């Protein structure tokens, strides 16, 4: 696997932490935290610092392996069991993201197109993306993520008088119970930033890129959630299914650009596809780590079809995904907070583990899925 730059790590961190989160989570957080909905992003960010630190320490112990390899090389039996559990977790994440994006496209752009056709087209796109490996995903990220971020950051200049900062009052009377409940829903999406160590080797998962990606992603989340509050208004925000799309709909630049939301969506949809492509790439990497002699590219199509079918089995409609955020947070806490700390304690380096890791690495190789 090639050496990744800090800029690329930051872009991937921002993508994972903010991309899917902005679709549903702000309305759920606002329902409990009310005018302090933006504080939920900061609470979640503070909680995520501990697992990020633990994963960085694991990366230093296994510089030439990703987290999947580190688990198997340290204990073949227990490592494979953990890998299967994480495979099931990422399969649900893939199905969830596929459902959310397909439903968003159907509601906004293609209301008369059957849902299964939209999701199948998305699957075809992300399959070819995942077959290209991390190089393809990173190249697309370097193009679309900065454009998408700059587009959203310039939106306040066009809202003007539509922003009502009284929606943030009272400033000094936060409901800590409401903020904690809102943070519970926000965590289930923002925790996706912890997926990076599963595809990056320890030497590529560096502290500078991890912390800057987390910091910029958190700042971006606070900015957009606050913008939703002052533009849309809290009473309406808490009743919206797609608050980020409604925020873009509020843009109006002369009669010629009265559908400026389509322009914003044109740069946002590709970033959503990159997120789903990264989910599929992680699933394919998990299969490759389980069966070292299988070529990774051959697994992309079967794994993608498995995720496609599983998404319809697990979820019947988008309302279930919206409501499932409450239970899903507990699963994410188990796998992305408790488990990294347990792995940090269990995967303590020793000579036997190093010899086993060298043997496994010799059979597996270091290349990405291709």
């Amino acid at each position: 696997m090639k050496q990744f730059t800090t800029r690329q790590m930051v872009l991937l961190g921002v993508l994972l932490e903010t991309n899917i989160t902005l679709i549903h989570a702000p309305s759920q957080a606002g329902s409990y935290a009310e005018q302090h909905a933006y504080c939920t992003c900061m609470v979640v960010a503070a909680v995520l610092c501990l697992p990020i630190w633990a994963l960085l320490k694991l990366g230093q112990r296994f510089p030439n392996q990703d987290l999947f390899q580190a688990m198997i090389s340290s204990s073949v039996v227990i490592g494979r069991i953990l890998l299967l559990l994480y495979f099931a977790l990422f399969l649900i994440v893939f199905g969830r993201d596929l459902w959310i994006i397909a439903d968003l496209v159907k509601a906004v752009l293609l209301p008369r197109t059957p849902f299964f056709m939209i999701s199948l087209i998305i699957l075809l796109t992300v399959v070819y993306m995942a077959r290209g490996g991390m190089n393809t995903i990173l190249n697309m990220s370097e193009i679309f993520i900065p454009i998408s971020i700059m587009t959203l950051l310039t939106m306040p200049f066009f809202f003007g008088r539509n922003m009502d900062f009284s929606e943030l009052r009272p400033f000094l009377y936060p409901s800590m119970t409401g903020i904690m409940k809102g943070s519970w829903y926000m965590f289930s999406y923002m925790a996706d930033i912890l997926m990076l160590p599963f595809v990056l080797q320890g030497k590529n998962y560096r502290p500078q890129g991890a912390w800057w990606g987390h910091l910029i992603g958190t700042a971006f989340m606070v900015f957009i959630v606050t913008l939703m509050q002052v533009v849309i208004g809290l009473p309406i925000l808490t009743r919206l299914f797609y608050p980020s799309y409604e925020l873009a709909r509020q843009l109006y630049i002369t009669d010629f650009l009265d559908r400026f939301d389509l322009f914003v969506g044109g740069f946002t949809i590709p970033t959503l596809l990159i997120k789903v492509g990264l989910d599929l790439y992680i699933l394919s990497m998990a299969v490759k780590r389980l069966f070292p002699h299988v070529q990774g590219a051959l697994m992309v199509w079967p794994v993608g079809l498995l995720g496609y079918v599983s998404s319809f089995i697990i979820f019947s409609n988008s309302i279930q995904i919206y409501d499932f955020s409450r239970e899903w947070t507990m699963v994410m806490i188990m796998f992305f907070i408790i488990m990294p700390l347990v792995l940090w304690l269990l995967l303590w380096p020793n000579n036997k583990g190093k010899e086993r890791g060298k043997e496994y690495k010799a059979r597996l190789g270091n290349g990405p899925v291709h």
Side-chain angles (χ1 to χ4, degrees):
M1 183 176 289
K2 76 166 193 173
Q3 187 78 13
F4 296 108
T5 63
T6 301
R7 182 187 71 256
Q8 292 171 333
M9 274 197 64
V10 171
L11 290 176
L12 287 179
V14 174
L15 170 73
L16 292 172
E17 191 166 11
T18 66
N19 195 257
I20 298 294
T21 311
L22 290 173
I23 296 181
H24 287 162
S27 61
Q28 294 176 300
S31 299
Y32 295 96
E34 298 180 343
Q35 73 273 17
H36 293 92
Y38 59 90
C39 294
T40 60
C41 304
M42 294 182 280
V43 172
V44 175
V47 174
L48 289 176
C49 288
L50 183 60
I52 290 176
W53 173 82
L55 291 172
L56 286 170
K57 291 297 182 181
L58 282 174
Q60 294 176 1
R61 295 176 185 173
F62 302 93
N64 296 317
Q65 297 178 343
D66 55 53
L67 195 52
F68 286 140
Q69 292 173 301
M71 289 188 295
I72 295 180
S73 62
S74 298
S75 177
V76 177
V77 177
I78 298 177
R80 289 180 182 273
I81 294 175
L82 290 176
L83 199 152
L84 287 173
L85 293 176
Y86 273 104
F87 178 84
L89 174 74
F90 292 137
L91 188 66
I92 298 175
V93 172
F94 175 76
R96 179 201 70 182
D97 295 346
L98 184 63
W99 251 99
I100 290 175
I101 297 174
D103 189 74
L104 177 63
V105 171
K106 180 176 176 58
V108 175
L109 300 176
L110 304 171
R112 297 185 179 181
T113 305
F115 181 84
F116 77 92
M117 285 299 300
I118 296 175
S119 57
L120 185 60
I121 293 172
I122 294 175
L123 177 64
L124 292 173
T125 304
V126 299
V127 161
Y128 284 104
M129 190 185 306
R131 283 176 62 89
M134 281 300 295
N135 291 335
T136 301
I137 295 174
L138 286 172
N139 292 336
M140 294 186 65
S141 300
E142 290 185 315
I143 296 174
F144 289 105
I145 295 178
I147 296 176
S148 179
I149 292 176
M150 292 304 299
T151 302
L152 294 176
L153 290 179
T154 55
M155 288 172 64
F157 297 102
F158 301 106
F159 285 126
R161 297 180 180 178
N162 292 334
M163 292 189 292
D164 183 8
F165 288 93
S166 64
E167 295 288 342
L168 302 178
R169 298 176 182 175
F171 300 103
L172 302 179
Y173 296 92
S175 172
M176 297 307 300
T177 302
I179 292 176
M180 291 298 106
K181 289 182 178 179
S183 302
W184 181 268
Y185 287 88
M186 191 70 72
F187 180 86
S188 60
Y189 293 94
M190 289 183 64
D192 285 357
I193 191 175
L194 301 176
M195 295 167 62
L196 273 181
F198 291 91
V199 292
L200 298 181
Q201 292 181 349
K203 61 183 178 183
N204 291 325
Y205 189 63
R206 296 181 298 275
Q208 187 176 6
W211 291 121
W212 273 110
H214 183 45
L215 178 62
I216 296 175
T218 302
F220 187 67
M221 282 296 304
V222 172
F223 173 77
I224 296 298
V225 173
T226 304
L227 196 61
M228 290 178 182
Q229 291 182 246
V230 299
V231 174
I232 301 175
L234 189 63
I236 300 177
L237 174 64
T238 56
R239 291 169 172 81
L240 291 175
F241 201 72
Y242 298 118
S244 55
Y245 171 67
E246 187 62 30
L247 179 66
R249 284 190 61 192
Q250 302 302 314
L251 290 169
Y252 180 83
I253 307 175
T254 73
D255 294 334
F256 178 70
L257 292 177
D258 59 342
R259 290 302 308 274
F260 195 71
D261 56 297
L262 296 178
F263 174 80
V264 177
F267 292 111
T268 304
I269 294 298
T271 61
L272 296 173
L273 294 177
I274 295 172
K275 172 61 168 64
V276 183
L278 186 59
D279 294 341
L280 181 55
Y281 179 83
I282 294 176
L283 284 173
S284 302
M285 288 292 290
V287 175
K288 181 176 175 61
R289 299 317 183 205
L290 276 173
F291 307 101
H293 299 292
V294 175
Q295 187 176 357
L298 297 178
M299 289 292 101
V300 176
W301 265 112
V303 171
L305 289 175
L306 175 63
Y308 176 78
V309 174
S310 299
S311 65
F312 288 94
I313 296 175
I314 299 172
F315 305 106
S316 299
N317 51 62
S318 296
I319 302 296
Q320 290 185 350
I321 300 177
Y322 190 85
D323 295 335
F324 186 59
S325 299
R326 181 179 60 183
E327 291 78 12
W328 185 242
T329 299
M330 181 58 68
V331 178
M332 298 296 277
I333 290 175
M334 178 64 66
F335 281 92
F336 282 155
I337 290 188
I338 298 177
M339 192 61 70
L341 296 176
V342 173
L343 291 175
W344 176 69
L345 293 174
L346 293 180
L347 302 184
W348 201 269
N350 54 67
N351 294 330
K352 185 178 180 180
K354 289 180 179 179
E355 293 176 358
R356 191 181 300 157
K358 291 179 180 179
E359 180 182 354
Y360 177 78
K361 180 182 174 183
R363 291 189 291 109
L364 181 61
N366 292 323
V369 176
H370 57 210

